[in-house]
Amino acid sequence: MDKVIIAQDLSLAYSNNETIINKASFSINSGDFVFITGASGSGKSTLLKSLYGALKPKQGSLVVGGVELKAISRSKLNFLRRHMGIVFQDYKLVKEWTIEKNIMLPLLINGYLKNVAQDQVEKLLKHVRLNHQIGKYPLELSGGEQQRVAMARALAHNPILIMADEPTGNLDEYSSQLIWNLLEGANNQLKTTVIVVTHNIPKNLNVDYKHFHIEYGNIHEIS
């Protein structure tokens, strides 16, 4: 099975401060569904940032999609991210754009024709139960609705890897279930590799998953 991510003796830190992740070695296969757990401040979001290239390794090796991230160029990183879907805790929607335009952005970046992109956006908005809000702006939506838009944007271009940072942390039960259904469907039906940082692993997911737990800078796989 292809390895999407390979970490060898990976250490992470911000500037020259205290090491947050210490000499971690792990791998993630194509099609895996992975949960990353740990106490607040343990380094979950830090690890996720490194996986999409927002934080370079302090030491060790981190290979994502066959590319070593320690010395990756900006242009190569931008190309790599075109195959990723990222869901941030704070959504990172462009507030001056409609939700249609927010979701369409990764499609246009990936070269989709505008009419094809519009069709895809309409399908996704139906999936997240927001097709009636297509002309609205992010700040006109609730937090749960904004997160559903962020999820639709992450899925829009059929990425091979989706990373989500606490995607249901502050959501109502309805929005949370929609998010989990979308991630589960992407993994089961499209064989998308999914990595989720969370405090709580849902009990009713219909997927086999890996579980990495971070404690005192160390990453342990829990079976």
Side-chain angles (χ1 to χ4, degrees):
M1 189 173 287
D2 292 339
K3 304 282 186 189
V4 175
I5 295 170
I6 304 171
Q8 292 283 348
D9 295 324
L10 174 67
S11 293
L12 301 173
Y14 293 100
S15 65
N16 292 318
N17 293 335
E18 180 183 355
T19 297
I20 297 170
I21 300 296
N22 186 38
K23 295 185 177 179
S25 295
F26 61 89
S27 64
I28 295 172
N29 296 324
S30 175
D32 278 350
F33 198 115
V34 178
F35 285 108
I36 300 171
T37 63
S40 295
S42 61
K44 302 185 300 297
S45 295
T46 298
L47 177 61
L48 206 67
K49 283 180 182 177
S50 75
L51 299 182
Y52 60 78
L55 179 65
K56 289 193 175 180
K58 178 183 178 183
Q59 291 181 323
S61 171
L62 179 59
V63 177
V64 177
V67 180
E68 172 60 70
L69 295 192
K70 194 167 187 179
I72 193 171
S73 67
R74 172 56 58 182
S75 60
K76 188 168 275 191
L77 179 59
N78 287 339
F79 179 78
L80 185 64
R81 284 178 176 169
R82 287 170 62 177
H83 301 282
M84 299 176 178
I86 305 168
V87 183
F88 301 94
Q89 277 193 56
D90 57 355
Y91 320 136
K92 291 205 180 342
L93 301 174
V94 181
K95 64 179 184 294
E96 296 84 7
W97 294 356
T98 64
I99 62 172
E100 178 184 33
K101 190 172 180 182
N102 269 281
I103 298 170
M104 197 177 292
L105 179 62
L107 294 163
L108 298 179
I109 289 172
N110 279 273
Y112 284 67
L113 295 174
K114 191 169 183 181
N115 64 322
V116 176
Q118 285 175 323
D119 286 346
Q120 177 76 337
V121 170
E122 288 175 14
K123 287 177 188 173
L124 283 161
L125 283 171
K126 285 179 183 175
H127 273 303
V128 297
R129 309 288 194 271
L130 288 174
N131 46 310
H132 60 293
Q133 305 275 42
I134 191 165
K136 293 282 184 71
Y137 291 84
L139 295 183
E140 296 180 277
L141 305 180
S142 69
E145 288 171 332
Q146 289 184 59
Q147 186 66 305
R148 281 145 61 188
V149 173
M151 181 61 68
R153 181 184 60 188
L155 292 165
H157 54 301
N158 296 319
I160 61 172
L161 173 61
I162 291 176
M163 290 180 267
D165 193 357
E166 294 284 2
T168 62
N170 298 308
L171 301 190
D172 58 89
E173 187 176 345
Y174 177 76
S175 292
S176 294
Q177 194 57 55
L178 274 176
I179 297 293
W180 290 123
N181 288 347
L182 288 165
L183 290 170
E184 184 181 301
N187 182 253
N188 281 334
Q189 296 162 28
L190 303 176
K191 306 307 177 190
T192 308
T193 306
V194 176
I195 302 172
V196 180
V197 163
T198 186
H199 282 291
N200 298 299
I201 298 174
K203 293 180 170 58
N204 57 347
L205 266 191
N206 187 31
V207 291
D208 294 322
Y209 60 82
K210 284 185 175 180
H211 178 190
F212 294 125
H213 185 74
I214 304 176
E215 192 170 22
Y216 302 117
N218 300 310
I219 298 177
H220 309 281
E221 184 170 357
I222 298 174
S223 54

